[in-house]
């Protein structure tokens, strides 16, 4: 079956992209840039739009957490993007399922700490977010950034 929609199909599959990146700062930076580029290609929104900035920020935070807290030497993290009817879903999968994600209220970052607030930003920019372990070897943290109504898709 090709990726093109046929007239017999009632609904086309959601646009999706999934790639692996090295668990390094460079890998996280590339994931952020790719997420914005793919989002703007799917929607036609400008890369400097508010929604594209939100996609960049959420992707950067999730990728940063994956390389900081979910990294095993020699293992990559996976970025998956799905364009949903009213949001873009950003998923970052790492190789440390035994390290659960703590909700922002459970974090104990002091007011002068240099880190520890990333998930607060994700909470502010994402409509909803969460995490799940789909198997014994990985953990996926996901967030859905709302897309303005009437935005072209695909």
């Amino acid at each position: 079956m090709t990726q093109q929609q046929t007239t017999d199909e009632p609904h086309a599959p959601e646009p999706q992209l999934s790639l692996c990146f090295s668990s390094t700062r460079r890998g996280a930076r590339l994931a952020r840039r790719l997420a914005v580029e793919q989002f703007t290609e799917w929607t036609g929104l400008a890369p400097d739009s508010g929604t594209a900035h939100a996609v960049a920020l959420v992707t950067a935070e999730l990728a940063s957490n994956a390389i900081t807290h979910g990294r095993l030497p020699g293992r990559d993290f996976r970025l998956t993007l799905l364009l949903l009817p009213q949001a873009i879903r950003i998923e970052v999968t790492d190789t440390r399922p035994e390290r659960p994600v703590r909700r922002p209220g459970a974090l104990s970052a002091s007011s002068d700490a240099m880190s520890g607030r990333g998930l607060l930003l994700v909470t502010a920019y994402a409509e909803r977010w969460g995490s799940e372990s789909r198997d014994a070897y990985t953990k996926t943290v996901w967030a859905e950034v709302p897309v303005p109504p009437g935005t072209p898709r695909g």
Side-chain angles (χ1 to χ4, degrees):
M1 180 173 196
T2 66
Q3 291 183 333
Q4 295 178 345
Q5 178 182 0
T6 66
T7 55
D8 296 340
E9 295 180 47
H11 300 288
E14 303 296 337
Q16 177 177 335
L17 176 73
S18 189
L19 292 170
C20 290
F21 294 89
S22 63
S23 291
T24 62
R25 289 179 18 203
R26 181 175 187 266
R29 186 171 55 251
L30 290 172
R32 175 183 50 84
R33 292 181 69 186
L34 175 85
V36 171
E37 193 171 301
Q38 186 63 60
F39 172 74
T40 59
E41 182 179 316
W42 279 340
T43 63
L45 293 174
D48 61 350
S49 69
T51 306
H53 283 295
V55 168
L57 186 138
V58 168
T59 304
E61 290 301 332
L62 297 183
S64 176
N65 284 348
I67 66 169
T68 303
H69 306 293
R71 179 176 183 263
L72 284 174
R75 301 276 177 94
D76 297 337
F77 72 91
R78 183 176 60 239
L79 171 69
T80 301
L81 304 171
L82 297 105
L83 186 60
L84 305 175
Q86 296 167 356
I88 181 168
R89 183 176 173 113
I90 302 158
E91 298 181 353
V92 174
T93 303
D94 66 46
T95 54
R96 297 296 297 265
E98 75 279 6
R99 290 190 168 182
V101 176
R102 295 188 195 147
R103 290 284 170 182
L107 300 176
S108 60
S110 66
S111 60
D112 60 348
M114 296 296 284
S115 63
R117 293 180 196 81
L119 291 177
L120 288 172
L121 293 171
V122 171
T123 300
Y125 284 94
E127 190 169 81
R128 57 193 206 118
W129 70 275
S131 67
E132 56 192 40
S133 289
R134 296 175 179 159
D135 57 44
Y137 308 104
T138 62
K139 170 182 75 240
T140 299
V141 183
W142 57 269
E144 293 178 0
V145 175
V147 175
T151 301
R153 293 176 32 87

